[in-house]
Amino acid sequence: MEHTGQNSPPGNHTTLVEFILLGFSDVPNLQGFLFAIFLILYLIILMGNSLIIMITKVDPSLQTPMYFFLGNFSFSEICYVSVTLPRLLTDICRKSGNISFLACAIQMYFFVTLGANECLILTAMAYDRYVAICNPLHFPVIMNTRLCIQLAAASWTTAIPIHIGFTSLVFSLPFCGSNQLNHFFCDVPPIVQLACGDTLMIDMLIYVIAALLVAIPFLLILGSYVKIISTIMKLPSATGRAKSFSTCSFHRMSATLFFGSGIIVYFRPKSTHSSGMDKFLSIFYTTVTPIFNPIIYCPRNKDVMVALGKFLKKWIVL
């Protein structure tokens, strides 16, 4: 591995060509257990979200904006976890976390881009619930097919150019010290921590991008739910209030889980960062949150359960 110590004199630096992901190497006796756990979680995420995608595509009763966005969100979840978990499983198997400079940059780019995509899709879903509850008479006109496609396309493409530039800047930093990342994938904070020299511009850029793609969507979702709750509380019927609350409870849980852990990681002051805590929170929003998507939307959603029953019955008959 070509790198020099952190205190190497200027001019004696060599080019860093790879990082070493330490992952969970600090618990060597648990490697087999961790592999089994992460493999099971990955398979559950793949199967659960794939099932949601299929039933929202084939069942006529689920051809609505809410389930259109849910299908997009499920596909994004599959892509999102596939950026990190297969690599982690491979590293555990081969007992080595060596990752090339380029592969690390690519992994980080797709991770942050897909993460931003999920934030924007959740925002589109919140807007859908806002229109459905606060402006129900105009819902079919406002949430038409064209607008749904435009919102989904914007969610998938908005972060692409931003994170191409951001990833290029991060990996153009000088890395002249240790090449060991105390993490299980190439996330932004641990990579920036390894850079030598002044990282103030990158630190500020992290906050700006996080504000644009995380904080602002979160505030828009929060604002929409203030309006939604205000509208629901004005309904005269208790049954009507309960039904309206139930239509947005699934989205509310998904948004809280995803944004909560992400905001803690990316908006904490740099001085409070600890590799152990960052690793724990990363497990939460890269693995735990995606597994909650099918759990939240399937067993607790009557429409989805009916559609799932019809879908499974059709395949069993075949």
Side-chain angles (χ1 to χ4, degrees), residues 161-178:
I162 295 173
H163 282 128
I164 286 175
F166 176 69
T167 304
S168 300
L169 284 173
V170 169
F171 282 86
S172 64
L173 291 169
F175 296 96
C176 51
S178 170

Side-chain angles (χ1 to χ4, degrees), residues 17 45 68 72 74 85 90 115 140 157 171 173 180 201 211 220 231 237 241 292 302:
V17 295
I45 292 167
F68 168 76
N72 272 268
S74 293
L85 287 188
T90 303
T157 58
F171 282 86
L173 291 169
Q180 294 186 341
M201 186 184 76
L220 289 172
T231 302
S237 163
R241 289 196 295 269
F292 270 102
K302 185 179 177 182

Side-chain angles (χ1 to χ4, degrees), residues 30-61:
L30 294 178
Q31 296 300 294
F33 173 75
L34 289 172
F35 179 85
I37 291 295
F38 283 118
L39 178 61
I40 291 168
L41 292 175
Y42 184 50
L43 292 175
I44 292 172
I45 292 167
L46 290 183
M47 291 186 292
N49 284 287
S50 296
L51 203 55
I52 288 176
I53 293 168
M54 285 188 283
I55 61 175
T56 54
K57 289 291 183 186
V58 302
D59 195 285
S61 67

Side-chain angles (χ1 to χ4, degrees), residues 65-272:
M66 181 173 73
Y67 293 110
F68 168 76
F69 290 123
L70 177 58
N72 272 268
F73 187 69
S74 293
F75 181 66
S76 182
E77 290 275 52
I78 290 172
C79 298
Y80 183 66
V81 297
S82 295
V83 170
T84 56
L85 287 188
R87 173 86 204 191
L88 172 60
L89 292 169
T90 303
D91 288 347
I92 292 174
C93 273
R94 61 191 181 100
K95 298 179 181 178
S96 171
N98 294 51
I99 183 169
S100 72
F101 196 76
L102 177 61
C104 191
I106 291 171
Q107 185 184 50
M108 192 193 87
Y109 166 74
F110 279 107
F111 177 76
V112 293
T113 301
L114 289 164
N117 171 53
E118 296 205 356
C119 293
L120 296 173
I121 291 178
L122 284 168
T123 308
M125 293 170 78
Y127 179 67
D128 166 70
R129 292 299 84 206
Y130 164 75
V131 176
I133 293 171
C134 299
N135 203 352
L137 296 178
H138 295 96
F139 179 76
V141 177
I142 297 173
M143 295 304 296
N144 55 59
T145 303
R146 181 182 177 185
L147 179 63
C148 291
I149 292 172
Q150 287 175 338
L151 287 173
S155 299
W156 281 97
T157 58
T158 298
I160 291 175
I162 295 173
H163 282 128
I164 286 175
F166 176 69
T167 304
S168 300
L169 284 173
V170 169
F171 282 86
S172 64
L173 291 169
F175 296 96
C176 51
S178 170
N179 68 331
Q180 294 186 341
L181 285 170
N182 189 14
H183 216 291
F184 61 93
F185 71 97
C186 292
D187 200 1
V188 178
I191 292 172
V192 173
Q193 284 174 9
L194 287 188
C196 48
D198 186 13
T199 61
L200 179 62
M201 186 184 76
I202 292 293
D203 292 334
M204 294 301 296
L205 196 56
I206 290 171
Y207 284 115
V208 170
I209 293 174
L212 288 172
L213 298 175
V214 181
I216 291 176
F218 177 71
L219 291 174
L220 289 172
I221 293 172
L222 203 60
S224 71
Y225 273 104
V226 170
K227 292 288 288 180
I228 287 170
I229 292 169
S230 174
T231 302
I232 290 173
M233 295 308 293
K234 293 175 185 175
L235 295 175
S237 163
T239 305
R241 289 196 295 269
K243 186 177 180 181
S244 297
F245 269 121
S246 69
T247 62
C248 56
S249 62
F250 312 112
H251 172 266
R252 193 169 63 247
M253 285 186 279
S254 293
T256 302
L257 287 167
F258 187 78
F259 280 99
S261 53
I263 286 172
I264 291 171
V265 170
Y266 288 96
F267 281 95
R268 277 189 304 156
K270 192 176 180 182
S271 59
T272 66

